[in-house]
């Protein structure tokens, strides 16, 4: 909005709103706290109008859905054309048990897989490692090898099913196993769809399931993003 007349009208309208509507509301019920901020500690103002974006270029800064810079999503019609993928987060002790569960969920109408790995796998340990003692079968599926991944995905058409894998520290290795299992099925990398959580910074801040120091961990994250952009679009 660059028309001076329109900007003046908006300034006056906002001033009237503050003097009348807002003032009455605050007199009855003051705001809960003096300042509101985002999780990044950036202040959140009470109201935003075009006055807050004086040099805003609609096409350059916002654009259309499905087009760069994708601020309005990657799909031109949003969820009017296709609902978001709905998955049930699941994973049992063995790859065989989990495979049976995934097939059942898909038969019941689930739109994709969401693989829950066990703690040993999340920490990069094999099931028979001393550090993993007592973890097998507690929560999530154990994947210690490519063979486990092949069993986990046996009979599941990976060119038709999208897969979410909730794993961070060993994400690059687990993803490599997934790609190899798909290749054995005869599925090309460009046919695969899904999500790799791969958020290692979250582990240092909250969940604490990290393996390597931050710098090499971030290098692995960036490497997977680069590989995905080039080979698994």
């Amino acid at each position: 909005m660059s028309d001076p007349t329109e900007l003046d009208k908006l300034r006056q309208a906002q001033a009237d709103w503050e003097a009348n509507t807002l003032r009455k509301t605050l007199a009855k019920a003051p705001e809960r706290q003096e300042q509101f901020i985002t999780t990044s500690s950036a202040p959140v103002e009470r109201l935003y109008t075009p006055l807050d974006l004086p040099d805003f270029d609609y096409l350059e800064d916002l654009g259309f859905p499905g087009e760069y810079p994708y601020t309005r999503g990657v799909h031109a019609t949003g969820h009017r054309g296709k609902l978001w993928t709905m998955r049930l987060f699941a994973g049992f002790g063995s790859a065989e048990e989990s495979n049976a569960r995934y097939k059942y969920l898909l038969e019941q109408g689930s739109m994709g897989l969401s693989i829950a790995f066990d703690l040993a796998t999340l920490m990069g340990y094999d099931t028979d490692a001393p550090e993993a003692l007592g973890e097998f079968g507690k929560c999530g599926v154990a994947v210690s090898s490519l063979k486990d991944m092949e069993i986990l995905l046996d009979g599941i058409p990976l060119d038709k099913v999208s897969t979410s894998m909730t794993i961070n520290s060993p994400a690059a290795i687990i993803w490599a196993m997934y790609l190899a299992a798909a290749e054995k099925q005869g599925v090309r990398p460009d046919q695969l769809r899904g999500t790799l959580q791969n958020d290692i910074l979250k582990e240092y801040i909250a969940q604490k399931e990290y393996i390597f120091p931050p710098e090499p961990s971030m290098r692995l994250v960036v490497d997977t993003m680069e590989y995905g952009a080039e080979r698994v679009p």
Side-chain angles (χ1 to χ4, degrees):
M1 180 182 286
S2 57
D3 185 333
T5 303
E6 291 298 319
L7 289 173
D8 288 340
K9 284 183 181 178
L10 182 53
R11 289 190 185 95
Q12 185 58 53
Q14 185 170 342
D16 292 342
W17 173 79
E18 290 174 352
N20 299 307
T21 305
L22 176 63
R23 182 175 59 82
K24 291 177 183 177
T25 298
L26 291 177
K28 289 181 180 179
E31 292 184 332
R32 292 179 288 105
Q33 54 200 53
E34 185 174 336
Q35 185 184 40
F36 289 81
I37 60 174
T38 68
T39 53
S40 301
S41 298
V44 178
E45 300 300 331
R46 179 184 294 120
L47 174 72
Y48 290 92
T49 73
L51 293 172
D52 296 291
L53 299 169
D55 301 316
F56 183 72
D57 185 315
Y58 184 92
L59 293 178
E60 187 70 23
D61 299 328
L62 184 62
F64 293 100
E67 294 183 354
Y68 181 85
Y70 301 107
T71 55
R72 303 175 75 177
V74 298
H75 302 296
T77 57
H79 298 310
R80 291 169 68 109
K82 181 176 181 288
L83 287 175
W84 56 92
T85 302
M86 300 178 198
R87 304 180 175 97
L88 286 174
F89 191 44
F92 297 141
S94 71
E96 289 87 351
E97 290 176 289
S98 297
N99 175 264
R101 178 63 174 174
Y102 297 151
K103 288 176 178 174
Y104 171 79
L105 293 174
L106 292 171
E107 288 168 0
Q108 302 308 306
S110 182
M111 299 166 66
L113 303 179
S114 185
I115 300 176
F117 296 97
D118 72 359
L119 182 59
T121 305
L122 294 174
M123 296 295 294
Y125 289 117
D126 290 340
T127 301
D128 59 358
E131 294 85 351
L133 183 63
E135 288 300 327
F136 180 81
K138 273 189 177 179
C139 178
V141 60
V143 175
S144 303
S145 65
L146 175 57
K147 185 63 177 176
D148 287 335
M149 184 65 78
E150 291 172 351
I151 294 171
L152 185 68
L153 303 172
D154 181 53
I156 295 173
L158 299 182
D159 56 338
K160 296 181 176 63
V161 174
S162 68
T163 305
S164 171
M165 292 190 284
T166 304
I167 196 156
N168 296 296
S169 295
I173 294 91
I174 291 293
W175 191 37
M177 291 180 183
Y178 185 87
L179 295 173
E183 182 180 4
K184 188 171 183 179
Q185 285 189 12
V187 178
R188 301 189 314 271
D190 64 310
Q191 293 177 293
L192 298 174
R193 294 176 294 119
T195 305
L196 190 66
Q197 190 176 89
N198 207 18
D199 181 5
I200 195 61
L201 296 181
K202 180 266 288 184
E203 297 298 345
Y204 293 104
I205 294 168
Q207 198 162 318
K208 309 303 182 186
E209 289 166 358
Y210 50 80
I211 300 174
F212 314 114
E215 188 171 346
S217 293
M218 283 301 297
R219 174 64 185 273
L220 283 171
V221 169
V222 174
D223 284 349
T224 56
M225 294 170 68
E226 181 180 10
Y227 185 87
E230 292 179 356
R231 307 290 184 87
V232 197

